[in-house]
Amino acid sequence: MRTIIEFLPDESGDEQALSLIHDIRSKIDSDEDMKQLFIFIMRGLEFLEGHGLGALNEYFIDETEDGFPYTIRLVKELRNHVPLLEFRVNWKNAGAFRCVFFEHRVGDLQVLLMIKAVLKQATYSPEFEKIALESESIYKDFVKNPEKYINFQGVDQYE
Amino acid sequence: MSKKLGQSFKELKMSAREIPEAREYLDSFSVVVGNLVFARRRALKLSQAELAKLAGTTQAKISNIEAAKQNVTIDTLNGVFSVLGLTQLIPVFNDEQAATHSY
């Protein structure tokens, strides 16, 4: 099975999750923490692309520079917004990157559709709750008409 | 919506590799190996501590491998990959990134 990462556009055609990643990337020259966060976001997304969604319920365990261990759960279910999932990467002062997404199967192809993302600075984030609700609405619309959101032309070549 | 499926992410990956540190890290042997170990350990439903015990090493070393830290010895990797049942690696090289020598 092959996995494809896709950024879902909203009504205005904006790929919000991708825009936020580009925004983080634009800060790397002046902010070393943003650079690290960007690199780890890319590693996480490339891991999902390479190995699929099996990362669910698993952890990357790392140690901080002072040797204190901490865990990072790469993907987590959003229990109040099933079947939406959350892609998660934390880095020190940069904050906690959270991206709401879901899985869509096309034959043997697993498409991971990234909807909305936020860079949290605190455990509870009203902004995250907002994008979770917006994502749920987009997901419901997607299910009715996937062709509105995804270009299925040439999809056979991925399978 | 006219973009090819996965096109935006493909472009993002290319854009990331314009940053020297990102390219060096993302395409490093350490990350390739770290991802392999993590994915295979997960498939075998082993915890880091369980894999460490079977491989005769420590949980911290497994953590270092998966986190793509560079202070990992080949002896440790041999032990870990033996437990994970590795029999062969099929490398994929990028000719554009490879060093060349002209005579």
Side-chain angles (χ1 to χ4, degrees):
Chain A
M1 184 178 64
R2 171 126 187 240
T3 302
I4 300 278
I5 306 286
E6 178 75 356
F7 294 95
L8 210 59
D10 61 18
E11 292 288 326
S12 61
D14 179 34
E15 298 165 319
Q16 189 272 339
L18 181 62
S19 296
L20 179 58
I21 295 172
H22 279 310
D23 186 49
I24 291 167
R25 189 197 188 286
S26 72
K27 294 171 181 159
I28 63 171
D29 286 338
S30 57
D31 190 329
E32 196 59 34
D33 284 333
M34 283 295 182
K35 185 187 284 183
Q36 281 305 315
L37 178 66
F38 174 74
I39 289 172
F40 288 149
I41 288 169
M42 291 307 300
R43 183 184 175 191
L45 289 175
E46 290 184 13
F47 179 86
L48 285 181
E49 183 186 49
H51 298 275
L53 248 193
L56 208 65
N57 295 326
E58 260 292 0
Y59 299 85
F60 279 124
I61 298 180
D62 201 358
E63 291 179 1
T64 56
E65 285 162 359
D66 57 5
F68 186 81
Y70 69 101
T71 59
I72 298 170
R73 194 168 173 180
L74 190 62
V75 173
K76 193 176 167 185
E77 289 172 306
L78 285 176
R79 287 183 186 171
N80 296 327
H81 305 278
V82 176
L84 297 182
L85 303 161
E86 179 189 14
F87 171 79
R88 316 162 83 239
V89 177
N90 299 344
W91 182 251
K92 289 183 180 174
N93 299 325
F97 178 83
R98 298 287 182 267
C99 180
V100 180
F101 73 103
F102 62 94
E103 176 194 11
H104 179 70
R105 292 284 180 99
V106 184
D108 201 30
L109 184 69
Q110 179 184 62
V111 186
L112 302 183
L113 293 137
M114 306 289 153
I115 314 173
K116 300 253 177 186
V118 68
L119 188 56
K120 296 199 307 180
Q121 301 299 332
T123 304
Y124 176 75
S125 161
E127 201 182 345
F128 180 78
E129 298 304 319
K130 182 171 173 279
I131 66 160
L133 284 171
E134 289 170 354
S135 298
E136 197 173 325
S137 170
I138 291 170
Y139 169 75
K140 284 175 182 167
D141 191 51
F142 175 90
V143 172
K144 288 180 201 160
N145 186 10
E147 288 82 4
K148 177 179 164 188
Y149 293 89
I150 292 185
N151 182 357
F152 286 102
Q153 275 191 334
V155 77
D156 294 350
Q157 70 184 2
Y158 294 110
E159 295 185 62
Chain B
M1 216 278 290
S2 59
K3 273 188 183 175
K4 197 174 153 189
L5 193 64
Q7 183 65 28
S8 291
F9 187 55
K10 189 178 175 186
E11 289 167 5
L12 179 64
K13 288 195 295 181
M14 288 166 63
S15 164
R17 280 158 177 80
E18 290 168 7
I19 306 162
E21 296 95 321
R23 184 178 65 240
E24 192 178 321
Y25 177 79
L26 293 170
D27 294 334
S28 68
F29 183 69
S30 301
V31 166
V32 171
V33 166
N35 287 351
L36 268 178
V37 170
F38 174 66
R40 179 65 175 158
R41 177 176 66 77
R42 183 198 67 209
L44 295 175
K45 301 189 188 321
L46 291 171
S47 69
Q48 287 190 335
E50 287 166 338
L51 173 58
K53 192 174 177 185
L54 291 167
T57 185
T58 62
Q59 181 269 325
K61 291 257 174 68
I62 303 297
S63 173
N64 281 347
I65 294 169
E66 294 184 359
K69 299 271 177 69
Q70 295 181 350
N71 55 348
V72 178
T73 67
I74 196 73
D75 284 347
T76 303
L77 286 176
N78 276 336
V80 168
F81 277 119
S82 173
V83 171
L84 295 179
L86 178 78
T87 55
Q88 193 180 3
L89 269 180
I90 303 171
V92 178
F93 291 106
N94 184 341
D95 285 341
E96 288 175 14
Q97 286 183 34
T100 55
H101 192 92
S102 55
Y103 293 93

